[in-house]
Amino acid sequence: MRILVMGGGWFLGRAVVSGALARGWEVTTFSRGKSGVPVAGAAAVHGDRERPEDIARLAAHGPFDAVVDTSASELAPRRVLAGAQVLAPFVGRYVYVSTVSAYRGWPDEPLSADSEVLDGPADADADYGRLPDDWTGPDYYYGRQKAGAERAVLRMFGDGRASVLRPGVILGPGEYVGRLPWWLRRAERGGDIMAPGDPGRTVQPADVRDVAEFALDQATQTGLQVHNVTAPVGRETMAGFLDACLRTTGSTGTLVWTPDEVLIGAGVRQWTEIPLWRTHAGAWAIDSSTAFAAGFRSRPLAETVADTWAWLQEGNLPVPHPRWAEHGIAPEKELRILERVS
C-alpha cells in the first residue's frame, strides 16, 4: 500500500503513520510542519490545506492507494471539498476521520451509524452554523462543520471509495486535549478525589492506536463504509476508569463519589472541569457494532491508562493545544464541593 496521511505529526495522525509503517506500507504525510515530530520512515510534504497551490503540489506526489485524513477538525467543509476534488484522480480511497458530534442527536440520545446527521453543506465556509455570542442554546457549530466535511468527501469519493469514521473520545499516549493526563495527575496527587456521578455509568473512550489501526484497515476496503468508533457500551465504567488511574499511578487517594445533582448545583462544567463526566443520555450510548463487525478491536481502557502514564513518565509531552487549559477543576473548588458531601 502507498498511502497519504493528512496530518501525521501528532496523536491520531502519528499513530496512523506508525501503524502503516509497521505494516510495511509506503507513507507520505502532508502538514504545515509547525507542530509534532515527524515519524522516521515517512516522506514529509509540507504545505497548507488552505492554499490550493499546495494541494495541487501534493497531488503531484501521487498516485496513492488511499488517503487517511486526520487533520480536518478545524477545516471548513469547502476546504475539504477543494482538496478532495484535486486528490480524487490520484487517490484510490478516502478515509475521513469525523466525529459523533456530526449527529443531530448528539449527545442527548443513543446513536447508531444510521442516525441522522446534522445539516451542513459540502461547500460551507467557516461561518456556516456559527451562533451569536449571546446564544445560550445547544451549539451545533462544530457538528455542522464536520457533517459538511463528510458530505464534501462523499461528493468526490462516494462512488464506493470512501470511509467515514466517527469516533467519540479518543485517549492514549500523545493525547493533546488533556482528559486522561488530568485524571492521572489528579490520581497521583492523592487525597480525597471527587469522583463524578454514578460509579457504574458506562464510558466509551477508544484508544488512539486502535482507531489508527481501524483507519488503516478501512484504507484497504471497498464500497462506502460509515462507522462509529468507540468502545462497546457497558464494558467500561467510570469507576473502573478511575480505579485504573489510582492503580497505575500507585496513588493512595480515595474516591469520593459525588452525585450529579451536587456537581450541577455547584456549577461544575460537564466534559471539561471534570473530564469525561457528562449526564446527557446519549453521551456514552454510541453503537459501534458495525465497526466491530468490520474488524475494529478495542483494547481495555485500563491498558490505555497504563500506557499513557508510562508515556508521561518517560518525559513525553503532547503537542501544545488550547483545549488543554479547558480541562480540570481548580483544587479549591473541588475541596469546597467535597466538604458538602463529606
Side-chain angles (χ1 to χ4, degrees):
M1 291 285 290
R2 188 167 191 261
I3 71 164
L4 168 65
V5 178
M6 305 296 273
W10 43 292
F11 203 40
L12 179 58
R14 187 175 181 83
V16 169
V17 173
S18 297
L21 292 172
R23 297 182 183 206
W25 294 2
E26 183 179 340
V27 182
T28 298
T29 63
F30 181 74
S31 69
R32 292 176 298 176
K34 295 182 178 180
S35 60
V37 179
V39 180
V45 177
H46 295 310
D48 193 327
R49 296 181 66 170
E50 300 275 356
R51 294 168 55 87
E53 60 270 31
D54 288 357
I55 296 293
R57 178 168 51 83
L58 172 64
H61 289 265
F64 301 100
D65 295 303
V67 55
V68 180
D69 189 349
T70 69
S71 68
S73 62
E74 299 177 2
L75 209 62
R78 69 186 182 94
R79 292 297 186 185
V80 177
L81 178 63
Q85 187 172 17
V86 172
L87 292 175
F90 306 97
V91 173
R93 186 170 188 83
Y94 203 117
V95 181
Y96 178 68
V97 181
S98 184
T99 169
V100 294
S101 296
Y103 288 116
R104 184 171 297 279
W106 165 259
D108 297 313
E109 59 189 52
L111 298 168
S112 72
D114 295 325
S115 295
E116 182 184 2
V117 174
L118 287 162
D119 62 296
D123 58 354
D125 63 18
D127 288 327
Y128 183 85
R130 201 183 295 279
L131 297 166
D133 293 338
D134 58 352
W135 180 261
T136 58
D139 186 355
Y140 296 118
Y141 170 73
Y142 177 66
R144 284 172 167 161
Q145 289 280 308
K146 296 295 280 187
E150 289 184 9
R151 291 187 176 96
V153 171
L154 294 176
R155 178 181 293 185
M156 300 310 307
F157 286 84
D159 55 347
R161 297 196 294 148
S163 290
V164 175
L165 307 184
R166 297 178 184 135
V169 171
I170 303 177
L171 303 178
E175 184 207 332
Y176 63 92
V177 176
R179 296 183 177 109
L180 178 50
W182 184 85
W183 273 117
L184 286 166
R185 294 302 184 190
R186 179 63 191 90
E188 180 188 32
R189 198 165 75 239
D192 285 344
I193 301 170
M194 190 167 67
D198 179 2
R201 177 177 284 142
T202 189
V203 294
Q204 295 181 270
D207 189 289
V208 64
R209 296 160 294 185
D210 296 335
V211 177
E213 288 300 317
F214 186 59
L216 292 171
D217 289 344
Q218 286 294 299
T220 69
Q221 295 301 304
T222 58
L224 175 62
Q225 304 273 330
V226 179
H227 302 289
N228 297 328
V229 188
T230 67
V233 175
R235 190 189 71 183
E236 311 286 355
T237 65
M238 182 61 78
F241 167 66
L242 295 184
D243 285 341
C245 289
L246 293 174
R247 289 195 310 272
T248 296
T249 59
S251 176
T252 58
T254 301
L255 298 176
V256 180
W257 290 97
T258 308
D260 292 331
E261 55 270 24
V262 172
L263 298 171
I264 294 170
V268 177
R269 295 190 307 276
Q270 298 191 38
W271 214 233
T272 53
E273 269 195 293
I274 302 185
L276 305 185
W277 170 61
R278 200 159 196 172
T279 60
H280 300 71
W284 299 116
I286 309 299
D287 177 9
S288 294
S289 57
T290 65
F292 285 103
F296 175 57
R297 293 172 296 278
S298 175
R299 73 191 67 201
L301 185 52
E303 183 178 332
T304 303
V305 170
D307 291 349
T308 302
W309 180 244
W311 184 83
L312 290 170
Q313 291 301 101
E314 291 168 359
N316 293 300
L317 294 172
V319 170
H321 195 277
R323 295 182 68 186
W324 186 278
E326 298 174 357
H327 291 84
I329 190 168
E332 56 274 17
K333 184 174 181 178
E334 180 185 15
L335 181 59
R336 286 197 304 269
I337 298 172
L338 285 173
E339 287 173 347
R340 301 180 193 178
V341 297
S342 60

